[in-house]
Amino acid sequence: MDKLQIHKAGTLSGHQNPIFAVENGATSRVVFTGGNDKGVVQWDLEKMAFERILYPVQVSVYALHLIAHTSLLAIGLRDGKTKIVDTESQKLIARLEHHQRPVFDVKSFKSKPELILASEDGTVSIWNADTFSLLYHFKVAEQTIRTIAISPDEKWVVFGTKDGRVRLYNAQDYSFIEELPAHAMPVTALCFSPDGRHLLTGGRDARLNVLDTAGFSTVTTFIPHLFTVYAIRYHPTLPIFATASRDKSIKMWSADDFRLLRVISFERGFDSHFLSINDIVWNPHKNQLVSVSDDKQAMVWDIDFQQ
C-alpha cells in the first residue's frame, strides 16, 4: 500500500497580482516566480522567504525556464519578447525579439544548445542557446501554442495548441511527424514520464489523456479535475505525478496505474489556494512541490511517499 504524506511547509507572499509561472533555480533552495507583476521574484526555500527581485519587467510573465546546464533564466513575456537573465549576476544576457504576440512556453535541450519558444501567434522559434541567435521558426497551428514538452531521450518535441491539437515533431530537425489524440478544447499541459514511456496531455476540457510513446496510442483517458488542467509534473525519481487546475486543487497520482492518491485543496482541509492554480514545480531541496496561483501566493508542500 502506498503511503503519501503531505504537509504544508510554508507560504511565499509578496506578489501583488496573479502568479502564472514558477521555476527552480540553479541551486536547489531557490525558486523563481513571475506573473502579472512588475518583476520576477527569487525566493529562498531554506528560509521560506523573499530573497530579491531577480529582474524587473514591464509586462506580464507567462513562462519561466532555467536553460539546461546554465544559470540563465528565460522569461517569456506578454509582449512577445523573451529576456535571458543570468540568475547569479542579475544581468540581462540577451533579448529574443521575434514574436509579436505573447510567449507562453519555453523549453531547452540537454543534448544540444537550443531553446524553443511557443507563442500566441501559432509559431515556434528555435534559438541557439549559446549565442542567442535565431536558428529557425515555423508555423505549428492557426492559433496559440500554449505548451511544449520534450521527450527524456530528446527524440521528440510536442506542442499543445488552442484548437485542441497535440502535434508531434522530430526534435533533431523539427520535421512534423503526426497529430496525436487530443482534446475538445485548448491543450494546456503536456508532460512526458521520466522513463519516456508515456506522454500525458491536459486540456481546458478538464480531461487528461495518457498516450503510450511506443506508438502514441491512447492508454487511458479520464477527468482529473473540474476545470482546466494547467500543469502536469512527474516527480523526478518517485513513481508519482501531480496535476494542478483552475478548480483550485492539486492532485497526486500513481505513475504506475494512474490511481488518485491524494488531493490538496481547501475543501480537503489543507491551508491551500483559494483561486486557480496556474503552475507547479518539484524542487529537489527537500523533496518539495511549489505551487502558484491567481490568489497571488506561492505555496510549498512537503511530500513524503513510501511504497
Side-chain angles (χ1 to χ4, degrees):
M1 187 71 181
D2 300 329
K3 291 187 177 177
L4 184 62
Q5 299 294 323
I6 299 169
H7 302 285
K8 186 176 177 183
T11 299
L12 306 174
S13 299
H15 279 279
Q16 301 300 307
N17 289 292
I19 311 171
F20 302 137
V22 58
E23 174 65 307
N24 289 321
T27 53
S28 65
R29 62 173 182 78
V30 170
V31 292
F32 301 102
T33 56
N36 204 18
D37 274 341
K38 295 296 185 187
V40 174
V41 178
Q42 179 173 330
W43 306 88
D44 184 330
L45 294 185
E46 185 68 55
K47 298 173 182 172
M48 208 60 72
F50 170 86
E51 195 158 0
R52 62 185 180 180
I53 301 287
L54 175 74
Y55 191 77
V57 292
Q58 297 305 310
V59 295
S60 296
V61 174
Y62 287 155
L64 293 173
H65 175 71
L66 189 74
I67 300 172
H69 311 305
T70 76
S71 59
L72 304 180
L73 187 71
I75 305 168
L77 298 167
R78 193 179 74 185
D79 63 5
K81 296 180 179 65
T82 296
K83 305 268 180 94
I84 308 297
V85 175
D86 188 318
T87 60
E88 291 171 358
S89 68
Q90 293 185 264
K91 288 194 170 77
L92 179 68
I93 303 300
R95 291 184 186 86
L96 310 187
E97 299 184 358
H98 169 74
H99 298 284
Q100 304 297 311
R101 308 295 295 275
V103 171
F104 280 112
D105 203 2
V106 181
K107 290 287 188 289
S108 62
F109 291 89
K110 295 183 176 69
S111 60
K112 59 178 177 175
E114 289 181 14
L115 195 64
I116 309 179
L117 276 52
S119 171
E120 187 180 278
D121 62 18
T123 73
V124 299
S125 56
I126 315 295
W127 301 76
N128 183 303
D130 290 332
T131 63
F132 297 107
S133 55
L134 180 63
L135 299 175
Y136 329 101
H137 60 93
F138 55 92
K139 189 169 185 174
V140 171
E142 295 299 325
Q143 297 178 307
T144 303
I145 305 164
R146 181 60 189 266
T147 178
I148 309 167
I150 299 171
S151 61
D153 62 5
E154 303 201 336
K155 181 178 169 185
W156 298 302
V157 56
V158 290
F159 302 104
T161 67
K162 189 176 179 180
D163 59 8
R165 299 169 192 267
V166 176
R167 292 173 176 263
L168 176 70
Y169 285 74
N170 181 313
Q172 296 309 305
D173 61 7
Y174 302 106
S175 56
F176 175 70
I177 299 174
E178 64 178 312
E179 202 162 283
L180 306 180
H183 295 264
M185 296 175 76
V187 180
T188 47
L190 294 170
C191 186
F192 282 95
S193 59
D195 63 10
R197 288 178 51 223
H198 295 115
L199 170 66
L200 274 54
T201 76
R204 191 162 290 167
D205 55 7
R207 186 170 291 280
L208 193 148
N209 295 335
V210 180
L211 307 180
D212 183 336
T213 57
F216 288 100
S217 57
T218 303
V219 175
T220 185
T221 181
F222 57 97
I223 306 290
H225 289 277
L226 297 174
F227 303 115
T228 309
V229 181
Y230 276 136
I232 306 166
R233 300 281 186 265
Y234 273 86
H235 189 281
T237 56
L238 297 172
I240 57 174
F241 66 92
T243 56
S245 169
R246 193 166 72 85
D247 71 6
K248 313 167 201 174
S249 73
I250 300 166
K251 295 188 178 182
M252 297 288 176
W253 307 84
S254 164
D256 298 325
D257 56 11
F258 307 102
R259 277 181 302 121
L260 178 63
L261 300 175
R262 289 294 297 276
V263 180
I264 302 174
S265 71
F266 193 75
E267 289 77 10
R268 295 297 180 96
F270 285 94
D271 176 19
S272 187
H273 297 287
F274 59 87
L275 291 173
S276 173
I277 301 171
N278 300 322
D279 199 10
I280 50 177
V281 69
W282 290 102
N283 181 276
H285 177 52
K286 291 180 179 174
N287 197 32
Q288 291 170 324
L289 185 74
V290 185
S291 55
V292 296
S293 167
D294 275 358
D295 64 14
K296 312 172 192 175
Q297 309 289 327
M299 295 186 180
V300 185
W301 307 93
D302 289 325
I303 310 293
D304 182 27
F305 180 76
Q306 296 174 339
Q307 292 173 275

